[in-house]
């Protein structure tokens, strides 16, 4: 016989477990009903066809629509702590360390006296962008921490006046980019400025944002600094504003007007707070479908923007190439970030990844730059009939076998998985005249057959690229 006391205890334990899980489940349901679970947000919203046409027909954005691939650089004082403050690893993105660790301005400011990136070499950075096949370079002239990485008369909290380095790296980079035909662009944090009592975001030193004289900050720092950027540098490809806290349409207009007056051809991104020349997706968020208009995916190469010494979560070249092509086939640009160290070095793994991507682009760039999105769409994957995501919505099951980009008279089929013997495309409307692989220097014609809208191309046994072999179909 079993001990009766023990079995009673077991029964109580079971009852308790059942009860608690029921209570837990209903609390979860309540939370959902009360809207505590945020509704799933798409990576980017579709806009009306008029809006998309306005973006596409803008002559200023022509270079941007063709560029497809840009280098983002997050570089500032935050590269010194590199994710660690007073011996503690601070979770989250590196450039947010001042905010995450609630570092007082008086303490954070002292980093400037240590900032001496003697290994910085503008030629090497611009050369890396070129080797990677990137057509534009967007660098943080001032991030949320408020420190200007350029020579400023407006605030002495800048790299020339407050550091032993004393050089203006932005001037050097501008020249190095111009030499190589790379569009030089600035990121500028117009709203958040944790150094200024009236800038948005620093509540630990200066109290809540709604008590601040935000217009005073715009008038005395943000607008005059943007004026400096627009008058002392350029022509700029674009200005990348960010996190439009407290920005109203009217406040945004002051920036828009200044850009239009001083550099009529400079694009404005979608995070100013009013209408921009193009839109950004959420960071690292790639839509599941073709999105019309002009847009860009800002993305990290590991899991941080600003340098963190212990973030080794690098995306392999295969992943970066897939994302570049995936985004291009949906109509967008890929703005891929590196976070240089406080010495001025772009981490070697970032360099290696980018150069590998560049090697692939050297052979296959024709199927990326200046192309239009896929006429198909089924290759992106589909909503699962059975599986759901964390929010209970049908899960989008991404397919990764192939993608398609186009230009007049040509379809480029990007094969990420090499099919045995042949590739079949259904839904093929036009008549194919010629099929060959971009990686084949002789462009030897491949055998194909077409019946109705079904096309089958015979392929060689071995894939020419370990990443993405591009099959070019010339149509009649
Ligand atoms: C912002 C910054 O706060 C961050 O430090 C970095 O510079 C990044 C590129 O931009 O972060 C954002 C802004 C917008 C979204 C996500 C992160 N968003 O719309 O999903």
């Amino acid at each position: 016989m079993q001990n009766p006391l023990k079995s009673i205890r077991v029964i109580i334990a079971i009852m308790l477990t059942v009860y608690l899980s029921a209570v837990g489940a209903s609390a979860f349901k309540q939370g959902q009903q009360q809207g505590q679970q945020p509704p799933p947000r798409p990576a980017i919203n579709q806009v009306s066809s008029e809006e998309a046409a306005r973006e596409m027909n803008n002559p200023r954005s022509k270079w941007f629509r063709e560029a497809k691939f840009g280098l983002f650089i997050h570089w500032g004082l935050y590269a010194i702590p590199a994710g660690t403050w007073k011996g503690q690893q601070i979770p989250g993105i590196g450039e947010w360390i001042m905010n995450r660790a609630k570092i007082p301005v008086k303490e954070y400011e002292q980093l400037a006296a240590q900032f001496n990136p003697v290994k910085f070499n503008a030629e090497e950075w611009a050369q890396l962008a070129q080797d990677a096949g990137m057509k534009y370079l967007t660098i943080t002239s001032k991030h949320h921490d408020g420190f200007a990485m350029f020579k400023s008369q407006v605030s002495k909290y800048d790299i020339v006046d407050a550091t032993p380095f004393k050089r203006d790296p932005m001037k050097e980079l501008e020249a190095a980019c111009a030499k190589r035909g790379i569009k030089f662009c600035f990121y500028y944090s117009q709203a958040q400025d944790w150094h200024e009592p009236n800038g948005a975001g620093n509540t630990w030193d200066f109290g809540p944002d709604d008590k601040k004289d935000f217009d005073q900050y715009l008038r005395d720092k943000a607008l005059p600094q943007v004026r400096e950027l627009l008058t002392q540098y350029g022509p700029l490809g674009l200005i990348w504003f960010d996190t439009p806290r407290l920005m109203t349409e009217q406040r945004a207009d002051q920036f828009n007007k200044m850009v239009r007056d001083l550099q009529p051809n400079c694009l404005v991104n979608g995070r100013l707070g009013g209408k921009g020349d193009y839109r950004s997706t959420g960071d690292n968020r790639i839509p599941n479908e073709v999105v019309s208009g002009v847009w860009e995916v800002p993305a990290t190469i590991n899991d941080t923007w600003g340098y963190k010494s212990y973030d080794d979560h690098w995306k392999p070249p295969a992943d970066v190439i897939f994302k570049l092509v995936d985004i291009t086939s949906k109509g967008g640009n890929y703005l891929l970030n590196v976070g240089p160290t406080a010495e001025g070095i772009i981490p070697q793994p970032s360099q290696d990844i980018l150069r590998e991507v560049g090697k692939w682009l050297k052979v296959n760039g024709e199927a990326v730059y200046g192309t239009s999105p896929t006429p198909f769409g089924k290759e992106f994957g589909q909503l699962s009939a059975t599986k759901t995501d964390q929010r209970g919505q049908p899960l989008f099951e991404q397919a990764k076998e192939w993608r398609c980009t186009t230009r007049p008279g040509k379809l480029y089929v990007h094969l990420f998985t090499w099919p045995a013997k042949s590739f079949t495309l259904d839904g093929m409307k036009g008549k194919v005249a010629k099929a060959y692989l971009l990686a084949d220097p002789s462009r030897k014609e491949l055998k194909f057959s077409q019946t109705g809208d079904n096309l089958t191309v015979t392929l060689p046994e071995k894939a020419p690229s370990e990443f993405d072999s591009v099959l070019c179909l010339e149509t009649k």
Side-chain angles (χ1 to χ4, degrees), residues 72 74 93 95-96 143-144 187 242-243 271 282-283 305:
F72 212 175
H74 276 68
I93 41 187
E95 73 284 3
W96 272 71
H143 204 265
H144 308 333
Y187 171 109
D242 202 6
T243 62
R271 290 184 184 176
D283 298 3
W305 307 89

Side-chain angles (χ1 to χ4, degrees), residues 48-99:
S48 68
S49 53
E50 293 79 41
E51 191 60 22
R54 179 188 70 88
E55 292 171 351
M56 291 298 279
N57 298 332
N58 177 357
R60 279 200 300 273
S61 70
K62 184 172 184 285
W63 71 266
F64 182 84
R65 283 178 268 125
E66 291 174 354
K68 301 300 173 195
F69 197 24
L71 182 64
F72 212 175
I73 304 181
H74 276 68
W75 196 38
L77 296 182
Y78 38 81
I80 299 173
T84 302
W85 193 254
K86 297 189 172 161
Q88 292 271 345
Q89 293 196 348
I90 309 297
I93 41 187
E95 73 284 3
W96 272 71
I97 193 166
M98 181 179 176
N99 181 301

Side-chain angles (χ1 to χ4, degrees), residues 140-280:
T140 48
S141 64
K142 186 199 83 172
H143 204 265
H144 308 333
D145 66 358
F147 185 74
M149 292 292 286
F150 60 101
K151 163 89 188 126
S152 178
Q153 313 285 350
V154 174
S155 158
K156 294 289 137 203
Y157 193 47
D158 75 277
I159 189 162
V160 176
D161 294 298
T163 75
F165 189 54
K166 291 189 167 65
R167 278 157 56 191
D168 179 350
M170 303 296 137
K171 267 274 159 236
E172 296 173 28
L173 264 176
E174 175 192 37
C177 285
K179 242 196 220 175
R180 293 166 176 81
I182 293 170
K183 293 271 184 188
F184 184 62
C185 314
F186 279 130
Y187 171 109
Y188 186 88
S189 177
Q190 81 284 18
Q192 292 201 72
D193 190 315
W194 305 330
H195 187 255
E196 303 306 319
N198 288 309
N202 185 341
T203 51
W204 57 101
D205 281 304
F206 305 124
D209 283 352
D210 57 10
K211 298 261 157 54
K212 292 173 180 172
D213 186 354
F214 185 63
D215 286 305
Q216 185 270 323
Y217 153 75
L218 291 184
R219 196 172 54 240
D220 292 349
K221 185 168 181 184
L223 284 160
Q225 283 200 330
V226 169
R227 178 180 292 276
E228 290 182 321
L229 295 175
L230 291 166
T231 49
Q232 290 166 31
Y233 305 85
L236 299 176
L238 60 90
I239 289 210
W240 218 94
F241 295 106
D242 202 6
T243 62
R245 292 191 196 175
L246 304 179
M247 292 296 292
T248 56
E249 193 97 17
Q250 191 231 326
R251 286 166 173 161
D253 279 347
Q254 301 175 53
F255 287 93
N256 263 325
K257 191 175 172 303
M258 188 181 281
V259 177
R260 281 301 138 256
D261 286 350
L262 297 171
Q263 290 208 27
N265 290 325
C266 175
L267 300 175
V268 172
N269 78 326
R271 290 184 184 176
L272 172 59
K275 253 196 195 122
D277 291 307
Y278 69 93
R279 292 162 292 135
S280 294

Side-chain angles (χ1 to χ4, degrees), residues 2 25 33 58 69 82 140 156 166 209 232 271 297 315 346 375 381 421 448 462 465 469:
Q2 251 192 13
Q33 275 155 9
N58 177 357
F69 197 24
T140 48
K156 294 289 137 203
K166 291 189 167 65
D209 283 352
Q232 290 166 31
R271 290 184 184 176
V297 178
K315 292 173 183 65
I346 294 174
K421 296 190 174 68
F448 64 89
K462 223 182 136 298
S465 164
S469 305

